[in-house]
């Protein structure tokens, strides 16, 4: 069942719909869950958790073998961590976890064409999966989006629309176009979030079903943080793990609406004025699902943190020195580990997972400008 986050109106999962009639976003409510026993022998992709993903028919599934990315032991700022190399998903970002489920649902619904807006990675991911499903896609991006991402979108045959304006103006342009076609927005879709739950399942399964103490992740639109929270909540409810890990949600200091709302103990996320950040993937002035993000942070005993532009670049270098090349957006979460250490929230005994979201090759133009010469 799909239920409204605001007025509780329920809709069947068989009906193509991206928001409630009242205008609010929808939640996917389902009791279906996999059992640990059922997993043995299934392929190592996120579809091994298929019962929890809301897709009815096997022939709806549009997959590129996403998920089951490495979890690598390392240390950051003296803190032992497990780095989740989610930049190694098929299109080079974690967004594939959401796209594979959202596009499979659109295929199941028989939706022939979609519009989406993105800072780049979701657009590239949706373009790839839509093409594979035979769904025509029109992708709106801000003109400042990294060339690596726009090239990817064009190569997958999507209709790329560059909007000369902010991320927010890009969304408005996509919404206007959505009055004609289906709005397959990763920031609105409950199925996109369902796909992100697999990150929580996977982190636990890769650790022999031991939940970590902390998961550190960037937050922009919030699919990632919400998916983590809902996934861990599923595992707690099923008795597979004993308690919910704490979530540390990280933003760039120059665009930090979730951090501001969390700091002021608000229940909603008001729009903030933002400045340009190297972390283009999290430059969202007002996330659609702000209220749910704050609830996830609160119920996980989590925190919101911000990092400076200098810390983002320095951490991109730090990771590169370890042989890991991620785009600047992905350096925000590992950069914040320093504050977790300084605030005494983590120590040598804590199990800390740090999610790396997008690969460095996506932002070649930004790295060249940064390096100079
Ligand atoms: C989209 C994106 C994020 C933010 O994820 P949300 O689910 O929107 O919060 C972080 N890093 C990268 C590289 C992204 O593309
Ligand atoms: Zn409603």
């Amino acid at each position: 069942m799909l239920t409204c986050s605001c007025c509780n109106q329920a809709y069947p999962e068989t009906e193509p719909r991206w928001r409630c009639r009242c205008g609010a976003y929808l939640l996917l409510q389902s009791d279906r869950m996999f059992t640990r026993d059922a997993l043995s022998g299934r392929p190592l992709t996120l579809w091994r958790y298929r019962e929890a993903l809301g897709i009815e028919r096997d022939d709806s599934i549009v997959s590129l073998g996403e998920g089951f990315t490495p979890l690598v032991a390392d240390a950051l700022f003296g803190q032992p961590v497990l780095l989740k190399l989610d930049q190694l998903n098929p299109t080079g970002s974690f967004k594939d976890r959401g796209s594979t489920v959202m596009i499979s649902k659109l295929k199941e619904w028989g939706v022939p064409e979609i519009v989406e807006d993105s800072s780049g990675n979701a657009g590239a991911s949706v373009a790839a999966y839509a093409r594979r499903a035979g769904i025509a896609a029109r992708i709106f991006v801000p003109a400042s989006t990294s060339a690596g991402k726009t090239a990817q979108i064009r190569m997958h045959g999507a209709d790329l629309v560059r909007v000369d304006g902010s991320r927010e103006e890009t969304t408005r342009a996509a919404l206007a176009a959505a009055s004609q076609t289906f709005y397959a927005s990763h920031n609105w879709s409950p199925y996109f979030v369902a796909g992100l739950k697999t990150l929580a399942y996977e982190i636990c399964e890769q650790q022999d079903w031991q939940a970590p103490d902390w998961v550190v992740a960037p937050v922009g639109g919030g699919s990632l943080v919400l998916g983590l929270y809902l996934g861990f909540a599923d595992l707690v409810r099923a008795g597979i793990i004993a308690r919910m890990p704490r979530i540390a949600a990280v933003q760039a200091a120059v665009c930090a609406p979730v951090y501001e709302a969390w700091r002021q103990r608000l229940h909603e996320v008001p729009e903030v004025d933002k400045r340009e950040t190297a972390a283009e993937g999290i430059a969202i002035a007002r996330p659609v699902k702000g209220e749910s993000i704050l609830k996830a942070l609160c119920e996980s005993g989590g925190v919101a943190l911000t990092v400076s532009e200098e810390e983002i670049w320095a951490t991109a270098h730090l990771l590169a020195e370890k042989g890991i090349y991620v785009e600047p957006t992905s350096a925000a979460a590992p950069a914040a580990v320093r504050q977790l250490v300084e605030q005494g929230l983590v120590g040598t005994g804590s199990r800390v997972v740090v999610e790396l979201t997008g690969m460095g090759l996506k932002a070649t133009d930004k790295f060249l400008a940064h390096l100079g010469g």
Side-chain angles (χ1 to χ4, degrees):
M1 203 164 55
L2 296 171
T3 58
C4 177
S5 58
C6 182
C7 73
N8 286 323
Q9 171 74 41
Y11 302 93
E13 286 173 58
T14 47
E15 186 180 306
R17 167 170 291 284
W18 63 272
R19 68 175 164 188
C20 179
R21 275 191 281 270
C22 82
Y25 63 90
L26 297 170
L27 308 166
L28 175 60
Q29 228 118 52
S30 161
D31 297 332
R32 292 188 60 201
M33 184 61 182
F34 57 87
T35 61
R36 273 177 61 171
D37 290 345
L39 298 179
S40 68
R42 291 188 183 179
L44 289 176
T45 83
L46 61 77
W47 286 99
R48 67 201 266 103
Y49 309 118
R50 139 175 228 342
E51 289 86 350
L53 302 182
I55 303 299
E56 294 304 317
R57 299 192 314 270
D58 281 343
D59 65 0
S60 310
I61 294 175
V62 185
S63 175
L64 291 164
E66 50 292 309
F68 266 79
T69 53
L71 191 60
V72 175
D74 211 308
L76 289 168
F77 312 105
Q79 171 65 42
V81 294
L82 291 162
L83 299 174
K84 182 66 171 158
L85 306 190
D86 239 15
Q87 83 278 16
L88 300 181
N89 273 296
T91 75
S93 85
F94 81 94
K95 295 283 195 319
D96 294 340
R97 293 182 184 274
S99 298
T100 183
V101 177
M102 179 175 78
I103 296 290
S104 295
K105 196 67 194 182
L106 293 170
K107 186 177 169 198
E108 193 155 270
W109 282 340
V111 170
E113 55 176 25
I114 57 174
V115 295
E116 151 81 315
D117 59 287
S118 157
S119 63
N121 282 332
S125 180
V126 166
Y129 284 86
R131 185 55 174 240
R132 198 169 173 80
I135 296 171
R138 194 159 181 220
I139 313 281
F140 291 71
V141 299
S144 61
T145 298
S146 290
K149 302 176 187 178
T150 54
Q152 230 181 336
I153 293 169
R154 291 169 61 195
M155 278 301 287
H156 289 305
D159 180 9
L160 176 74
V161 185
R162 285 176 224 261
V163 178
D164 216 359
S166 67
R167 181 70 185 83
E168 287 64 42
E169 282 159 316
T170 307
T171 298
R172 279 194 284 279
L175 268 167
S179 59
Q180 310 295 322
T181 44
F182 193 90
Y183 187 39
S185 167
H186 66 289
N187 285 326
W188 282 83
S189 170
Y191 292 98
F192 196 92
V193 175
L196 264 311
K197 294 194 299 182
T198 62
L199 183 56
Y201 305 153
E202 223 175 273
I203 288 170
C204 292
E205 188 175 7
Q206 286 175 313
Q207 293 266 88
D208 209 11
W209 298 108
Q210 296 291 305
D213 299 306
W214 283 91
V215 180
V216 188
V219 59
S223 303
L224 177 50
V225 162
L226 288 177
L228 281 169
Y229 169 73
L230 294 173
F232 288 128
D234 282 348
L235 295 177
V236 170
R237 208 175 312 113
I240 297 175
I241 60 171
R243 55 172 180 76
M244 165 86 53
R246 302 174 75 179
I247 298 172
V250 185
Q251 301 208 289
V254 292
C255 179
V258 171
Y259 169 77
E260 282 304 329
W262 182 80
R263 193 177 61 83
Q264 297 172 43
R265 301 183 193 284
L266 306 178
H267 294 287
E268 273 182 69
V269 177
E271 182 156 344
V272 294
D273 287 332
K274 65 176 187 191
R275 275 175 288 136
E276 211 185 308
T277 167
E280 64 183 5
I282 49 175
I284 294 191
R286 183 167 193 228
V288 174
K289 300 180 180 173
E291 220 181 309
S292 296
I293 297 169
L294 293 171
K295 193 166 150 250
L297 287 185
C298 176
E299 289 184 8
S300 84
V303 295
L305 300 164
T306 64
V307 290
S308 69
E309 296 301 295
E310 292 72 28
E311 287 179 286
I312 290 171
W313 283 111
T315 306
H317 281 281
L318 183 67
L319 289 168
E321 283 158 18
K322 298 175 183 294
I324 299 170
Y325 188 40
V326 294
E327 65 174 293
T329 305
S330 302
V337 169
R338 194 168 57 83
Q339 292 170 58
L340 291 175
V341 173
E342 283 172 4
Q343 293 175 21
L345 290 167
V346 300
T348 39
S350 325
R351 271 173 314 187
V352 181
V353 171
V354 181
E355 162 78 358
L356 300 181
T357 49
M359 75 156 58
L361 294 173
K362 297 263 195 174
T364 300
D365 51 352
K366 306 248 148 100
F367 278 107
L368 287 173
H370 168 72
L371 292 167

